[in-house]
Amino acid sequence: QEHDSFRRSKIFIAMVESLRGSGESTTGGRMRALLETLGPVFIKAGQVLSEEEREPGIPLLPESIQKELRILKQSARTFHRTAALGVLGAAGEFTKSPDNAQPLVSVEQQLGAASIKQVYLARQADGGMVVEKVRRPSIGKHLEEDLRVLAKVVDELRSPASVPEGLAERIGRWIRDEANYEHETENH
């Protein structure tokens, strides 16, 4: 399947900007900035790579790069509240229905942000407070394509860089599970 040309352009531009310098002075910092620019799939890949080992006890990447990539776990860029309200509205969270006896009446505050979703404190029609997880708006549109690009990059790196077998598949499984709320509900 052909990749969206706009998406390919964004990836290429992000790579060039990263190589030229993103205001970051280290290789690890530039790598982190590149992954942040490319979006949630690549951020999650960076999070995984921050702990990946070539073999037990031997890190895949130098400590200086792993340290920068660990920052991806601690601070995710937020997306705008209006986008979150749009996602909740499109999902019918503000509308009473047979599947939603207690619709939301307001979204009070953001509690946190991660690579795949943000979490909000929201008020239901009966006055009860609930925690709502909101998937990043871009995740559905680009998820499978970005995973294909990631798999291609990992495949190209496997031979010269001793990238562990199955890395792209593990990252893809992790991201799909995290983006799938039904799966998450089954685990609670």
Side-chain angles (χ1 to χ4, degrees), residues 5 15 19 21 54 72 78 82 105 118 121 135 147 166:
S5 60
M15 289 171 48
L19 292 172
R54 188 178 316 266
L72 296 171
T78 61
T82 305
V105 293
Q118 288 184 176
L121 183 63
R135 191 173 323 162
L147 288 171

Side-chain angles (χ1 to χ4, degrees), residues 72-143:
L72 296 171
K73 292 181 169 187
Q74 300 158 358
S75 61
R77 291 183 184 165
T78 61
F79 55 90
H80 200 276
R81 179 183 171 88
T82 305
L85 293 174
V87 170
L88 290 169
E93 293 294 330
F94 293 105
T95 307
K96 189 170 185 165
S97 69
D99 293 332
N100 188 9
Q102 290 297 327
L104 301 179
V105 293
S106 65
V107 176
E108 304 292 321
Q109 75 182 81
Q110 181 181 329
L111 299 175
S115 57
I116 305 295
K117 54 194 156 208
Q118 288 184 176
V119 181
Y120 289 87
L121 183 63
R123 185 175 307 281
Q124 293 179 308
D126 68 355
M129 301 301 286
V130 294
V131 172
E132 283 289 326
K133 294 180 179 181
V134 182
R135 191 173 323 162
R136 288 184 178 275
S138 64
I139 200 75
K141 187 163 65 171
H142 300 297
L143 178 66

